Every structure is written in structure tokens, then in C-alpha cells.
Amino acid sequence: MTVEATTERVLRLLALLQHRPSWTAAELAAELGVTDRSVRRDVERLRAIGYPVHATAGVGGGYQLGAGTRLPPLLLDDEEAIATAVSLRLASGGTVAGAGEAALRALAKLDQVMPPRLRAEVRAVHGATETLVGPGVEIDPELLVTLARACRDAVRVRFRYAGRDGGERERTVEPVRMVATGRRWYLMARDVDRDDWRTFRLDRMREVTATTWRFRAREHPDPVAYVQRSVTEAPYRYVARVRVHARPDRVRELVPPQVGRVEDDRDGCVLVVAGENLDWLAVHVARLGFEAEVLEPPELREAVALLARRLSAMAGTG
């Protein structure tokens, strides 16, 4: 058998191992049209170039692709290659510091080895797409790694945190999950000193250190819902609840999760949105273009009525 044929068979073996968690030697031999002995030799070839293929002996044993100590060459099918290239292109405008440059380097490598037909498809997607990048805050990737490991290993984290008043305080927390809203990154964690759940903006953290103090995981609120509630309600003077006579999915298309929360309701949905200014809240809800009814607070009803009189006077119908 030629070297080219052997290489092709080894790559097919790798694709099979990536497609399913576990294979027996007999199953692999049948798929490849070779003997069990050839499968064992091809497995050794994969191990030689960095792929950690684990073998289990006995009845029910087989081969499984695991994680190694270094990154081996990747094997992607057509759809995976296109998806990866498009994702790298979008990542080049992300909010993780340094990720844009790294994404472009990876994209250049992938583009270099892509077949012309796939390269044309990727470039067609790029040519038809524009990325609207908002005023997001870049986050040090080392900070993300530190917090991700702390969440995974259940160890306490200590850092200095800048509050809304500008002052810095040392905080010790038990991290649960990071949540990205598209513009900012947040950490949901239990504040040890306050013995309560809190949300922390990553761009306000300094001198972040993972300690060696392990904690026992406990029941906690849903991180996404908790962060959304903290971001949309907690920092503001007024929290409004407005019944909107429209399907919840239509309202969610117009209201980003970091701006408001949409709750299902039998008469449509209830929009929960917060702000410092009642006039802004009234205009924001009115601009959605749906019939709506203010549930609370009463001050918002007064602001809406006053705004309606002003608009009526401007139109000359008052």
C-alpha cells in the first residue's frame, strides 16, 4: 500500500474517532475495510503525531479520542471549516483583548490550506456581512482564564472592585459562572463577606487572584437570569413593569437582554425595564410600536399621561 493510501486511511480513522465517543477495533476495521492489526498500527501513527487515543482492553473495550498535553493537527470537514472561518472573522471584532489579532492569525492559517471552493464560500459570507460593534469594554484574556478555572475548580477568588461611587474595596467571592451580554462580561458569585449572591463587572476588577481555598458548591439562582435582572434593574432608580400586547418573541427582538426582561403573559407579555428617567422609560416603551399598559410604578403612568398631553399639543390636537 502506498504512503498516500496509508495517510488517507489514518485521516479517515481520525475522523471516525472524532465522530463518536468510542469505537471497538472490529467496528473501526469494518468501516476502514482493514484488519484489526491495521487499526492498531494506524492508532499508533495517530499517537505519534500527538493524538491521545486511549485503548480499553476486554469485552466492550475499544478506542476513544482524549485530550493530550499539546494541540495536534486538526481535522475539519467542509461544514466545520466554513463555520470555524466565519466564527474567527466575527471574533476579530470581539470584546476580549488580543482575541482579534489571534483570530486573524488563525483565520489566515485556515484560509491558506482551504480548498478554493470552500474559500469562495467563506469569502461570500464575509462579503455579505457587516459586524456592528458597539462600545464594548475589552477584557484581559488572562482574567477570563483565571475566573473560568476558579469556576471549574470551585476555589475562592480575591480582587479589588471599583463600585459605582468610584471607590475600591477588596472582595472575596465564590464564583459560579461568567455571563457575557454582548457589550460587557459579568461574574455571578457568592460574596463571602456579605453572604449573598452578587454580580460583578469584569472590567471593574483589579488584582484578581485565585486562592487555594476550595468551597462546596451550593444551590444558586440561574446565572443568566440573575445577571440579567441585576443589569436591567438593580442599578436604576425606577423599575417599570409594562404589559405589552404583542408576542413575547417580537418584543425580545426589539429589546436586548441587557436593556430589559420580557416575561410571558396570557395577554401578550410583560416588559420589565429600568432607568433613572421616567420620560425616557415612557418614550422607550412607546417606540416599540405596540399597545401597552403600565402596571407599575404609578409615577410612570403620570409621566406617560404628561407626555401624551405634550405630544397632542405639539400636533395641534390638544
Side-chain angles (χ1 to χ4, degrees), residues 246-257 259-262 269 271 284 288 290:
R247 296 199 313 270
D249 58 320
R250 294 189 63 192
V251 179
R252 290 189 180 101
E253 290 176 357
L254 301 173
V255 181
V259 173
R261 189 173 76 254
V262 180
C269 62
L271 172 64
H284 180 73
L288 295 178
F290 305 116

Side-chain angles (χ1 to χ4, degrees), residues 73-273:
L74 296 178
L75 181 66
L76 304 175
D77 61 26
D78 289 1
E79 292 183 355
E80 291 168 342
I82 292 173
T84 301
V86 172
S87 298
L88 289 170
R89 173 64 179 83
L90 295 175
S92 64
T95 58
V96 180
E101 181 182 351
L104 289 175
R105 289 200 308 268
L107 181 60
K109 293 178 180 179
L110 185 59
D111 185 76
Q112 184 178 10
V113 298
M114 264 191 173
R117 57 187 174 81
L118 296 186
R119 189 182 296 118
E121 290 190 36
V122 172
R123 288 178 177 169
V125 174
H126 292 172
T129 305
E130 294 292 340
T131 303
L132 181 61
V133 180
V137 180
E138 284 195 345
I139 302 299
D140 184 351
E142 288 297 324
L143 172 59
L144 291 178
V145 172
T146 298
L147 294 177
R149 289 174 177 168
C151 292
R152 179 196 64 189
D153 300 335
V155 296
R156 288 182 176 178
V157 175
R158 186 178 298 113
F159 53 89
R160 298 193 62 79
Y161 191 71
R164 292 175 60 84
D165 58 0
E168 280 194 0
R169 299 177 180 82
E170 185 172 281
R171 313 293 281 268
T172 300
V173 303
E174 296 176 350
V176 174
R177 189 75 53 83
M178 288 184 291
V179 177
T181 66
R183 294 179 61 249
R184 291 192 176 93
W185 286 77
Y186 296 86
L187 173 70
M188 176 189 158
R190 175 181 165 272
D191 191 310
V192 174
D193 296 328
R194 293 160 179 77
D195 192 24
D196 198 5
W197 299 107
R198 290 288 190 274
T199 297
F200 302 94
R201 275 176 46 176
L202 268 62
D203 58 295
R204 291 181 177 175
M205 294 181 176
R206 290 199 315 110
E207 302 174 14
V208 180
T209 304
T211 70
T212 57
W213 183 284
R214 297 184 64 88
F215 62 88
R216 180 176 298 178
R218 63 180 71 194
E219 289 188 12
H220 56 76
D222 175 73
V224 173
Y226 186 85
V227 169
Q228 184 184 24
R229 183 173 289 105
S230 299
V231 171
T232 58
E233 299 177 21
Y236 300 103
R237 180 179 179 184
Y238 298 105
V239 178
R241 292 177 58 84
V242 180
R243 177 172 290 115
V244 181
H245 297 283
R247 296 199 313 270
D249 58 320
R250 294 189 63 192
V251 179
R252 290 189 180 101
E253 290 176 357
L254 301 173
V255 181
Q258 65 268 25
V259 173
R261 189 173 76 254
V262 180
E263 301 174 349
D264 292 352
D265 184 76
R266 62 183 181 181
D267 296 320
C269 62
V270 173
L271 172 64
V272 181
V273 63

